[in-house]
Amino acid sequence: MSGSAPLVRRLAVIGVGLIGGSLARALRAAGAVGEVVGIDLDRANLRQAAELGVVDRAAATAAEGVAGADMVFLAVPVRAMAGVVREIGPHLTAGCIVTDGGSVKAEVVAACDPLMPAGTCFVGGHPIAGTEHSGVGASFATLYQGKRCILTPAATTDRDALATVARMWEAAGSEVVLMAPEMHDRLVAAISHLPHMVAYALVNAVEGYDRFEESILRYSAGGFRDFTRIASSDPAMWRDIALMNREGILEVMDHFAAYFSRLRSLVAAGDAEGLERFFRDSKESRDAIL
């Protein structure tokens, strides 16, 4: 994009951690952003963002940070989204687009959309990417390369604003998919939220297994560590996700419980043929997505 105006003239990132920091890095690497302003409650993290060059300048307040921005990206816990939009609304410039990276969409879009001042627009979004690490030090420019980003417009969402947000994520390396907020929440409940719930429960179950006098987690090897890696994710973030997508998560947890019960029955019955069939079906489904 050299020689022409960047796609985003001034980007304000509220929450300069893994997700927000990686978007800033990706857009800078693509030449798609002119200036990045960082806003973060963690002042040490914000200082590090400036030192690393992830942001061009750090703002003392959200109101100061969004002033003059044509794009605001929210990378805060999902239960905090509406409060942040309410806070920054009066300070947004006409034409500003506010979008987010939260993994719950129906409640976020429904809460944030009505809070936007006339002449501005909210576009719900969720990049399907991340690691178990947090903070700006964990951010990197290629996090979104080859990953999907789901945008969840409401019926009232401005189409030009939606197209601009889509181009922003494409510049960051993502494939953009449009989806209704409710469908998004059901989908991610199964493919993202349930695996995290299972990982957290498994680590707690193994740690609480009291047949031995010492914790047996210290003996865990590659398989256990790989499977439970996501249980190292931010507990506060996942608390909010579990509360805001409660209905979808409960539905897939019950669905999973039925399959786990079936597997338990096969083990209890010593059903070799049934066990092999159960494992083969799972292997074939898993191999098909690679």
Side-chain angles (χ1 to χ4, degrees):
M1 292 191 182
S2 59
S4 61
L7 175 64
V8 180
R9 180 181 54 80
R10 179 180 294 166
L11 171 69
V13 178
I14 304 181
V16 194
L18 169 68
I19 299 302
S22 292
L23 178 61
R25 288 179 185 268
L27 295 179
R28 194 184 300 282
V33 66
E35 180 186 20
V36 180
V37 182
I39 304 113
D40 202 299
L41 292 176
D42 186 335
R43 306 308 295 181
N45 184 71
L46 192 54
R47 284 194 299 273
Q48 185 181 14
E51 291 165 0
L52 292 172
V54 176
V55 302
D56 296 298
R57 60 184 175 90
T61 66
E64 174 192 322
V66 303
D70 51 331
M71 183 76 71
V72 176
F73 181 65
L74 306 181
V76 300
V78 286
R79 287 206 299 171
M81 294 280 185
V84 172
V85 172
R86 185 178 293 107
E87 178 185 355
I88 66 175
H91 309 283
L92 298 175
T93 303
C96 181
I97 302 167
V98 177
T99 188
D100 77 303
S103 72
V104 179
K105 291 273 74 80
E107 192 171 335
V108 167
V109 172
C112 293
D113 200 43
L115 297 172
M116 297 296 295
T120 65
C121 184
F122 182 83
V123 179
H126 177 206
I128 309 298
T131 74
E132 71 276 24
H133 304 297
S134 59
V136 71
S139 65
F140 54 101
T142 58
L143 176 63
Y144 304 114
Q145 286 289 334
K147 305 295 175 39
R148 288 190 175 92
C149 179
I150 301 175
L151 300 184
T152 58
T156 56
T157 301
D158 181 85
R159 295 295 126 172
D160 290 338
L162 176 63
T164 298
V165 175
R167 290 197 299 273
M168 180 184 75
W169 281 110
E170 288 167 352
S174 292
E175 174 192 350
V176 174
V177 178
L178 301 185
M179 190 177 295
E182 296 76 15
M183 179 178 177
H184 166 276
D185 288 357
R186 295 291 178 173
L187 182 151
V188 298
I191 65 168
S192 174
H193 300 171
L194 177 64
H196 279 81
M197 301 301 116
V198 172
Y200 280 121
L202 179 58
V203 172
N204 282 335
V206 172
E207 175 65 12
Y209 188 49
D210 61 1
R211 292 191 62 176
F212 304 95
E213 293 182 358
E214 61 177 325
S215 170
I216 59 176
L217 284 177
R218 60 184 295 212
Y219 298 103
S220 61
F224 186 88
R225 291 173 184 268
D226 289 345
F227 184 82
T228 60
R229 173 185 58 80
I230 53 178
S232 291
S233 301
D234 182 7
M237 179 181 76
W238 281 98
R239 173 203 64 204
D240 285 2
I241 290 170
L243 292 172
M244 287 192 75
N245 199 21
R246 182 172 60 230
E247 184 178 334
I249 290 173
L250 286 173
E251 181 178 309
V252 294
M253 288 178 83
D254 289 343
H255 188 66
F256 173 77
Y259 274 81
F260 197 74
S261 177
R262 177 182 163 198
L263 177 58
R264 187 189 187 286
S265 296
L266 292 171
V267 174
D271 186 345
E273 183 179 342
L275 283 167
E276 185 173 351
R277 184 167 56 251
F278 189 97
F279 297 146
R280 184 185 304 113
D281 289 346
S282 180
K283 173 177 167 47
E284 290 175 354
S285 295
R286 175 64 177 82
D287 290 349
I289 67 174
L290 294 179

